[in-house]
Amino acid sequence: MKVSLYLREGEGAFLVVGNLRAEVTECTVAVDMAQMGLGEDVRAWNALSERDLPLQDDRITVRLRPNSFVLARLERR
Amino acid sequence: MRMRTDALLSVALLVATLIPVTAQPTTPPPADARTLLLDRFDEDFVPDGQRMTSPTVIVPAGEHTGGRLVTGGETPIEQSGEFIEGRFGQAFQFHGMTAMYYPVPGNIDVTAGAVEMWLRMGYEPVHPSQVESRYRNQLFLNIDPPGPARFIVYSTLVQFCVGVWDQQRQLVAYVGAPMPWHEGEWHHVEVRWGRRLELWLDGELRGSEDWAGLFGPMSVDLKQTQMFLGSRIHDSDIEAEFAVDELRILGPGGEQVPPYPLVTCPRIVTPPTLDGVLGDGEWDGAGEATGFVGLNDNRPVVDQTNVFVAHDERNLYVAFECTDPENRPLEGTFTDRDSAVYQEDAVDIFLQPGPDVYPYYQLVANCIGTRFDARAIEQNGRRAFDIEFDPEWTVATSRGEGRWVMETAIPWAELEGRSAPQPGERWRVNFCRDADAASRLSSWSWIAGNFHRPSNFGEMVFRGDDRAMRLSKLTGLRDGRPHARLDLTGLAFDPPVTVTATLVDAGAATVAEAHKDLIDAKSFTFEPPPITSGDYVLTLTAATAEETLSYQRLPFSVDKPFDIAVAGYPYEGRLWVTASIGGMPDLPEGSMVRARLVAGEREAGACEITQFDRGSGQGAIDITQVEPGQYEVQASVVGPDGEVLAQAAAGWEQFDRPVFWMSDAGMERTVPTPWTPVEAAADAIRVWGREYRGDGRIMPGQIVNQGQDLLAGPIELTATVGGAAIDLSALPAAIVEAADDRAVQEAALDGPVPMTLRATTEYDGMQRYDLTISPAGEATVDALALAIPVRREVARFILPSSGRFSKPVEVGDESWRSAFMPQVWLGNDDLGLAWFAESDRYWKPVDDDAMLEVVPEGDVVTLRANIIREPRTITEPITITFGLIATPVKQVPTGDPWYFRFGAVNNAYQLYDPQASAIYHTERLEYPAAGNIDPAQGTLEFWLSAGGMGGGGPRPIAGIYGDGGSMVLNWDLSQDRLWLTVPGPEGELQIGATDAGVPMEGYVHVAATWGERIALYCNGRLLDSADGPLPAAEQMAASPEKLRLVLGSAHGWRGWTWFDVDEVRVSGTVRYAGDGLAVPTEPFAPDEATLLLDHLDDRFRPDGEDAETRPEVMAAPGDHLGGLPSIGCEFVDGVFGSGLQVGVVGARPCREMLQEWGVDAYNLWSWLPKPQWDEVGWPLPLFTEPEGVDLPRMNAAFDEAGVRTSTYMGYMGIGAPTRWSRQFGYEWRREPVSSQPSEPPPGHSYLDCCGNARGYADYLAEGTRWLLEEQGFDGCYTDGNAHVYPCRNTHHGCGYYDDDGTLRPTYPVFGTREYLERMYRIIHEHGPDGFLVNHVSYNIFIPTMSFTDVYYTGEHEHYEDLLKCRVRWQGTQWGIWPILLGADSHTYEAMYYTYRHAAQDREPVAGLRRLRLPRGAVDPLLPRRGVGHRARGR
């Protein structure tokens, strides 16, 4: 798995979660929203499919196909 | 799996360093299992000529039990030396003409090993010229076989050296390094040999060279060999004045392995079918080896064998392809297990899994598949065989004309319960071939005596992935026309594999060599010129920087007394004839070779060859006036009396001079856009964005780049002559030329050693410095160094480049040091400064890591080029050239993701035809089917609605497709007809009815069942049925991987698929059996029979690729998460929650779409249509007129759509054989030769060329003009042409001979730069939309890449290295707009774009949308930008 994060502090962030494995993998990414200035009310969604991503306790869990990725957008509501 | 992002982000901050670690040993060496000889010198005595040292480990030779002292000259034995306090315990100090001899047999292994010792100089090694001549060298270790051959570890006081001399007393292998040692210091020295010769000083690798064992190809009789420390009493006057301690000699082991062969065993997913037949592609993913040699005779046999190896979790798979050109009848009669099958035509597999010899396994199968297997074990100190060992391994064989094949699978568990080897695990193995005659026995790794010699086994390295090398072809060795081919398997290119082929003769002289970096292609061929009689060794190696994938070293003999090779050099105007007389060793003195160029009876030229070096000589025939036509070179060996002793001939063709002959295209002295003219003033030379400020000095005191100061102080170029240091950079400059495209300044230094420094600044900011030293008679330059102090905030990164590869390094607190590289750049995210040079010619010394340095000190980071560090005597004028270029080189919006918006185009050749170039999409929702559907019985049901969409003809709604059969549900709205079509042996079954009752609005329940009958229900009513199962159910079930489950059209675009679907359920049972069913009133709930259940309630935007539904049940998800809706589908209201509208994006003219999306650039990969492309081969030969396509018309259509066009026009090489390769191949090619197969057409390959070849430059420049003016393109795309490859082809100006007469490579920076500049100028002066794309992966080499509008990069590279992203892929520091090609995985591409564009100060998601664009076709989900591209015009 590979995760990179791009932050516009106080506004939003962008996460790339890549599955470099050969099998479907579930990955939980813990993000410190407060440290990034996003506060507690944050929405997370898949930037390509625009599908909401489950965000609980500052954690996003995604299930990924082999050699696939999700482009996750985080934005304070 | 949980990850914290703060930890991940720190990855970007990792500091890489290239600084080697010094690790001088701190303990005395142990007497371990590898130790052959260990002398600690701890037991002392008074030298008397009789007593010997007492080594801890030694094999004595009779009474010779230790180091025995011998003296010569005037040195009495009692003054030969004494024992002193050593590095550990005591040591021995040598004096005078003294040597210490050791017995040799058993105490050294010439195939592989190492020698280490501690040394201390007995005097201060001051300036060598001031040291007494008797001490001027020190000889530490000598190994002398009979005859003149030598292996010597020695010192020249300033340089520590290891040399090997051949039987002609020629130096054939050498490694050396500076040794700034002082009197009294102990230093650790280690020399290692095996596949390479390596010198380690104080724990640091200081030099290495490709070399086999101690003596390479030379045969050495150890019983007649002498080994000693100290003076060469009988052939040298050098006296020993050093101390030695802890002398240890190691045998093979670790990295010092004998040159036995190595094969990689990859892990495969699909095992081969074991039927004794090498099926198409079946073994393509396997490692492969060939080059079998005779038992007892280490030379290739006629009956060659190819071996294939691969493995998975369960088995080792091996196949043998045994050829027999004579097609002899095979001997294979034994049928009982463990009978003597090895006496027949059979193959052996020897496997030694562990580091210990025992156990090892022998598995033999004869040509009819009878097995013999044994386990070799140690019993009472001797080898014994356990014949009861009978593993269950599968064997299948087949016979064919002139060959037979054996395939096997050996379960790991059957090898005494083993598991599959771990990645990186190494086994000693051998593959052997039996026959009914001992003379026909052969093996992969050479063995003498019998096959049971584990010490001679080769090696097999297991990998956890699909990467391996295939040595598939090795022919022509006996005929003197070697031909080898290697192929890389697997998906990845990174880390890059370099393949090297070296052919050396018996005197260890390199006859031919070639190497290839497998970056873009995965094949390599080696085809050197013909060779004549003699013994040779061919070595083939495929390796990354970290590991070897394949290694084979093959001695062979050629019996052919005389041969010639001819090579035409049209621009040079000569036909070179190489005559090989190596097979005629007894030629009388005064013999020569006469060569005549003839056409029929007419002689067109002639030459004589009288000088031969090691049996080879060259002569040239003037061809400048030779008429085009076919010729023959007839050569004769002529004795001094005129007698013709041997003859040979070779053909040659003189071609017409091509259209690009001596072209001056693009050589105008103009300044192309966007650069501005050079402004030359007394204080500074100014170019776009940069100012080289000298204030009267010849070199900059400051470089102002984009308004920022780069330098922390003035650049200094310091020469030391006669003890005086002169700062040449401060010499007063005079402007001698001030033109728009360049300014030239000169400065001169008078005196006993006159020097001139000429600085040429070109409009892109490139500065070239030529320092010419013109001594009157002989002069010595003691030192010459360039120091460039850069401000710390500028010098955050170092980007060194080998010309082909560049790996960024973050500047830390430690110095970075390197041997010569043609470029070192220092910079940050925005700007920087590159130093570059074409070669290390005149540098001294060379090949150590102190030639280039980056030294951080406080706020200053200094780049140093240490050109002369040891006094260099100069007797004639020399010119040392280097350059600087501040970056970025020009203005481009590197942060703009839309600066160039390339798009893929459907049927580009016919863009002008809206129909022919129309764009279509699929129309379906597809689920993974294997395991989610049972062709034997089941139910497929869902809710269906017309969604208000009428019109169109009949359409498929749902289907099950498989191998040999299908069942498809069709719908015709106009007749309200629903029916199943089921192909069968008696034609197609149609099961269904009109008036099915599907409304235009609202949903109905539809179900199809299959089992004992096939039935179709709609809205609770049985519409129709037919008895019997699906006709092809068994065949479909047998190939589950071919099953498909599709809602919509399975076969691409139809144009009118519209329907809404909800609640898709597949069951493994027949749910409905009667004439009707109760229509469900709520969403389906999972039960035991449910294989697939998708409520389609999770709305998202389908992207045709990554966005999948999330079924509640999917029995066998495989690699998927759900169903994949095509672009054009969208979520709508369903019968319960959401449903999915399976819709279509209408066909639209491509040109219209390009305009709509703002695509403004297009690259046509092949300007020849496919059939013609296949005929001429890749890369396409320029000036070949396309047939059947109208490129000017195509380009005009693009122009109307506002799209700039380029085409793939240049690879750093040409196709061969082609007209151009036949005429110019020798003159243009890079040497060592680099080529790779590239079919079609059959036999076609790439031949890599060099940017320094003027003819090749003319070909590309004139070819650019042809593509623009004749074919209508706006620009060109080159593939790798901005790299600078080392080259030694002297015929086009590359290579130089060093002080020892060795031909060394040069890096053709200026030649490459010039032809790219010519192309750039032609393109930009042709029209305002011109652009030059240079594809440059793995590298940034800015002096040549300067002439680039767009660089494509990142292809095949790993993307995890964020430092690489930052330094090489941003473009900002370089002033060139980047496009990342994407690695071998889509994932990486996404990462790049988020990094590259989302990280910019702009709307991130806009950048992301670029993801879709280069991936082909069109994406209706992209923002409708309108025709937002730039205004165009010609």
Side-chain angles (χ1 to χ4, degrees), chain A:
Chain A
M1 305 297 293
K2 174 115 181 163
V3 181
S4 42
L5 182 144
Y6 309 96
L7 174 66
R8 192 171 291 166
E9 204 166 333
E11 295 179 37
F14 208 85
L15 270 174
V16 186
V17 186
N19 176 16
L20 309 185
R21 297 178 174 184
E23 65 258 19
V24 172
T25 304
E26 187 169 287
C27 173
T28 298
V29 184
V31 187
D32 190 334
M33 301 292 181
Q35 193 176 333
M36 296 195 298
L38 298 182
E40 294 179 356
D41 191 11
V42 176
R43 180 192 165 213
W45 72 97
N46 181 322
L48 283 181
S49 66
E50 295 176 353
R51 174 161 41 195
D52 277 352
L53 294 170
L55 176 65
Q56 195 165 21
D57 298 333
D58 282 3
R59 286 175 163 77
I60 299 170
T61 300
V62 292
R63 217 168 124 73
L64 290 168
R65 284 196 290 141
N67 292 316
S68 187
F69 65 96
V70 64
L71 309 175
R73 186 80 192 272
L74 305 177
E75 205 168 275
R76 71 186 302 167
R77 291 181 197 267

Side-chain angles (χ1 to χ4, degrees), chain B residues 19-222:
Chain B
I19 300 165
V21 176
T22 298
Q24 202 182 55
T26 55
T27 56
D32 59 18
R34 277 184 66 192
T35 304
L36 302 178
L37 173 72
L38 174 58
D39 198 345
R40 300 195 187 280
F41 303 103
D42 285 348
E43 293 182 31
D44 64 2
F45 54 84
V46 177
D48 60 3
Q50 300 296 320
R51 301 184 65 178
M52 286 173 269
T53 62
S54 305
T56 309
V57 180
I58 192 167
V59 177
E63 294 179 352
H64 192 180
T65 59
R68 185 173 61 201
L69 284 162
V70 175
T71 56
E74 298 174 355
T75 305
I77 189 68
E78 60 273 16
Q79 293 180 16
S80 60
E82 68 274 348
F83 287 88
I84 61 169
E85 186 180 343
R87 178 65 180 81
F88 302 103
Q90 295 190 106
F92 186 77
Q93 169 71 48
F94 285 77
H95 296 302
M97 187 61 74
T98 301
M100 182 179 284
Y101 280 76
Y102 288 90
V104 174
N107 294 316
I108 192 163
D109 186 325
V110 296
T111 65
V115 58
E116 61 173 316
M117 61 189 123
W118 287 87
L119 292 171
R120 196 181 75 165
M121 300 298 283
Y123 53 94
E124 184 68 22
V126 291
H127 195 288
S129 60
Q130 297 168 21
V131 173
E132 286 184 57
S133 64
R134 63 196 174 115
Y135 293 150
R136 209 168 275 176
N137 297 79
Q138 286 293 297
L139 305 166
F140 302 117
L141 173 67
N142 306 265
I143 299 172
D144 287 14
R150 300 277 182 272
F151 174 91
I152 306 178
V153 180
Y154 64 104
S155 146
T156 62
L157 301 193
V158 291
Q159 189 86 354
F160 199 97
C161 315
V162 180
V164 185
W165 285 259
D166 67 5
Q167 295 294 359
Q168 284 75 43
R169 192 58 71 80
Q170 302 237 20
L171 182 68
V172 290
Y174 170 84
V175 289
M179 47 175 291
W181 295 3
H182 298 287
E183 183 176 6
E185 293 175 351
W186 281 103
H187 290 277
H188 183 262
V189 172
E190 185 171 358
V191 179
R192 300 175 180 176
W193 59 93
R195 292 178 188 160
R196 302 185 65 77
L197 185 63
E198 295 179 351
L199 171 63
W200 294 69
L201 298 179
D202 293 322
E204 190 175 316
L205 177 63
R206 301 300 301 276
S208 73
E209 181 173 315
D210 271 326
W211 188 246
L214 267 187
F215 287 97
M218 289 179 270
S219 177
V220 171
D221 181 356
L222 286 182

Side-chain angles (χ1 to χ4, degrees), chain B residues 681-686 691-704 714 729-733 745:
Chain B
D683 63 332
I685 306 294
R686 294 178 179 85
E691 192 176 320
Y692 296 94
R693 179 173 287 282
D695 290 319
R697 295 160 46 101
I698 184 75
M699 296 192 76
Q702 183 57 268
I703 299 173
V704 183
S729 62
L731 293 173
Q745 300 162 282

Side-chain angles (χ1 to χ4, degrees), chain B residues 1332-1355:
Chain B
L1332 176 58
V1333 180
N1334 287 313
H1335 170 193
V1336 189
S1337 288
Y1338 292 95
N1339 192 25
I1340 287 278
F1341 198 86
I1342 194 61
T1344 55
M1345 282 177 64
S1346 192
F1347 301 104
T1348 307
D1349 292 287
V1350 179
Y1351 70 109
Y1352 273 50
T1353 189
E1355 188 183 34

Side-chain angles (χ1 to χ4, degrees), chain B residues 907-1257:
Chain B
N907 192 9
Y909 291 132
Q910 290 179 276
L911 186 73
Y912 47 81
D913 181 339
Q915 294 293 326
S917 64
I919 292 173
Y920 306 90
H921 281 275
T922 55
E923 311 155 18
R924 68 175 75 117
L925 166 64
E926 180 157 8
Y927 290 96
N932 296 324
I933 202 154
D934 180 358
Q937 62 172 5
T939 305
L940 167 64
E941 60 194 306
F942 49 87
W943 291 82
L944 174 68
S945 169
M949 299 287 186
R955 69 208 61 181
I957 297 298
I960 304 163
Y961 305 85
D963 187 19
S966 63
M967 182 185 78
V968 180
L969 173 62
N970 304 278
W971 184 23
D972 185 340
L973 277 77
S974 61
Q975 300 182 45
D976 189 17
R977 184 183 175 209
L978 272 181
W979 75 103
L980 295 166
T981 51
V982 183
E986 295 170 6
E988 184 178 82
L989 274 175
Q990 295 202 357
I991 303 161
T994 54
D995 301 323
V998 182
M1000 288 301 291
E1001 302 287 346
Y1003 284 87
V1004 293
H1005 175 258
V1006 176
T1009 67
W1010 62 98
E1012 292 179 357
R1013 71 166 188 168
I1014 303 168
L1016 178 63
Y1017 298 85
C1018 181
N1019 219 15
R1021 179 166 63 98
L1022 176 68
L1023 292 186
D1024 194 8
S1025 68
D1027 289 338
L1030 285 178
E1034 285 187 21
Q1035 191 179 341
M1036 292 166 72
S1039 300
E1041 76 283 359
K1042 294 182 180 174
L1043 282 172
R1044 296 180 66 196
L1045 173 57
V1046 177
L1047 280 82
S1049 171
H1051 303 297
W1053 186 82
R1054 292 179 67 89
W1056 58 79
T1057 298
W1058 293 103
F1059 61 91
D1060 298 350
V1061 63
D1062 194 10
E1063 296 295 316
V1064 178
R1065 179 166 77 169
V1066 180
S1067 306
T1069 59
V1070 177
R1071 288 188 183 268
Y1072 312 114
D1075 292 341
L1077 57 87
V1079 175
T1081 55
E1082 56 188 33
F1084 296 129
D1087 58 21
E1088 286 186 359
T1090 307
L1091 296 176
L1092 176 74
L1093 173 57
D1094 196 344
H1095 302 297
L1096 297 171
D1097 285 346
D1098 178 19
R1099 291 180 181 231
F1100 58 90
R1101 185 175 63 175
D1103 64 3
E1105 198 158 351
D1106 292 295
E1108 292 176 298
T1109 65
R1110 295 288 189 274
E1112 184 178 3
V1113 177
M1114 190 158 64
D1119 288 345
H1120 292 267
L1121 301 175
L1124 185 66
S1126 59
I1127 292 170
C1129 295
E1130 62 180 290
F1131 285 90
V1132 295
D1133 290 341
V1135 63
F1136 306 113
S1138 294
L1140 184 76
Q1141 182 171 87
V1142 179
V1144 59
V1145 180
R1148 296 181 61 191
C1150 185
R1151 192 161 48 177
E1152 188 181 307
M1153 302 297 279
L1154 293 173
Q1155 288 181 298
E1156 182 171 312
W1157 296 327
V1159 169
D1160 65 4
Y1162 174 70
N1163 185 68
L1164 180 70
W1165 295 104
S1166 169
W1167 41 270
L1168 292 182
K1170 186 64 177 166
Q1172 202 181 357
W1173 164 4
D1174 288 349
E1175 287 166 17
V1176 300
W1178 193 264
L1180 305 177
L1182 294 169
F1183 311 105
T1184 305
E1185 287 292 339
E1187 296 169 3
V1189 297
D1190 188 339
L1191 295 181
R1193 190 177 177 197
M1194 176 200 80
N1195 280 313
F1198 274 108
D1199 191 45
E1200 287 173 20
V1203 177
R1204 300 163 281 181
T1205 57
S1206 60
T1207 188
Y1208 185 110
M1209 65 83 70
Y1211 169 77
M1212 198 64 185
I1214 52 174
T1218 55
R1219 152 78 195 271
W1220 307 129
S1221 75
R1222 290 199 299 273
Q1223 185 172 11
F1224 295 104
Y1226 292 103
E1227 191 161 50
W1228 294 0
R1229 74 184 186 184
R1230 214 154 65 212
E1231 290 184 359
V1233 175
S1234 176
S1235 81
Q1236 66 194 46
S1238 171
E1239 295 180 345
H1244 188 81
S1245 65
Y1246 291 177
L1247 177 65
D1248 291 341
C1249 295
C1250 177
N1252 226 24
R1254 171 66 199 274
Y1256 179 60

